[in-house]
Amino acid sequence: SFVFRARHPFDPARFHAFATRPHPGVLRAKGSFWLATRPAQVGDLSWAGVQAKVEPRGFWWAGVARHLWPRHEPFQKLIAKSWSPIWGDRRQEIVFIGGPDMDRRAIESALEDCLGGPEDRFDPAAHRTLRDPFPSWDQPAVA
């Protein structure tokens, strides 16, 4: 098993192509992802055998107005652990579990090819015109 992590968004069309094709040897995959066209929303990927699900999980804290955040200290410490001054808490974090024929390098390379834009900044306006083949998640950003 391994965890794919990255700190910039997926191009939605490229990630859709990745998420809807088979990956030999992968038995299970689960985790959070970030699409460039949906900067406020957390995506949830869940694969088990031949069943695959991609759906919304909620919002990145970076997409929620600070006055709505919980104020208790354990929350503050938890969010600080994954916070980036550029990305907030947005990130790719997907666990892959597979058999001996799972090709980790091929999967990581395919996911790296899904990443869009520079690693040092993100401009949501620049990504609005990207083709996004995923169904609407119908959730406005929390202000």
Side-chain angles (χ1 to χ4, degrees):
S1 68
F2 70 96
V3 180
F4 176 82
R5 290 184 174 93
R7 275 297 199 161
H8 52 296
F10 283 141
D11 174 285
R14 285 185 257 162
F15 184 64
H16 185 270
F18 172 87
T20 57
R21 72 175 180 261
H23 298 279
V26 176
L27 303 173
R28 180 94 169 96
K30 178 130 181 80
S32 304
F33 66 91
W34 167 30
L35 296 176
T37 52
R38 303 172 193 213
Q41 296 171 296
V42 180
D44 183 58
L45 173 72
S46 179
W47 287 345
V50 295
Q51 293 190 359
K53 226 176 16 174
V54 173
E55 57 191 5
R57 180 182 291 170
F59 296 100
W60 296 110
W61 285 107
V64 176
R66 290 229 177 197
H67 71 275
L68 297 174
W69 289 18
R71 288 185 167 75
H72 61 286
E73 189 176 338
F75 168 82
Q76 300 296 328
K77 287 181 179 179
L78 180 67
I79 199 74
K81 285 173 62 174
S82 63
W83 196 263
S84 157
I86 298 169
W87 311 112
D89 59 332
R90 297 177 187 103
R91 62 193 178 277
Q92 315 300 354
E93 195 168 282
I94 305 171
V95 177
F96 290 86
I97 301 166
D101 56 336
M102 180 173 71
D103 187 343
R104 177 181 178 163
R105 281 193 221 149
I107 293 167
E108 288 175 329
S109 178
L111 285 167
E112 287 166 5
D113 289 344
C114 293
L115 296 171
E119 293 185 45
D120 61 345
R121 63 181 163 25
F122 177 63
D123 177 11
H127 294 87
R128 285 191 187 126
T129 60
L130 288 175
R131 188 174 77 78
D132 186 337
F134 290 99
S136 172
W137 291 345
D138 290 328
Q139 294 179 340
V142 178

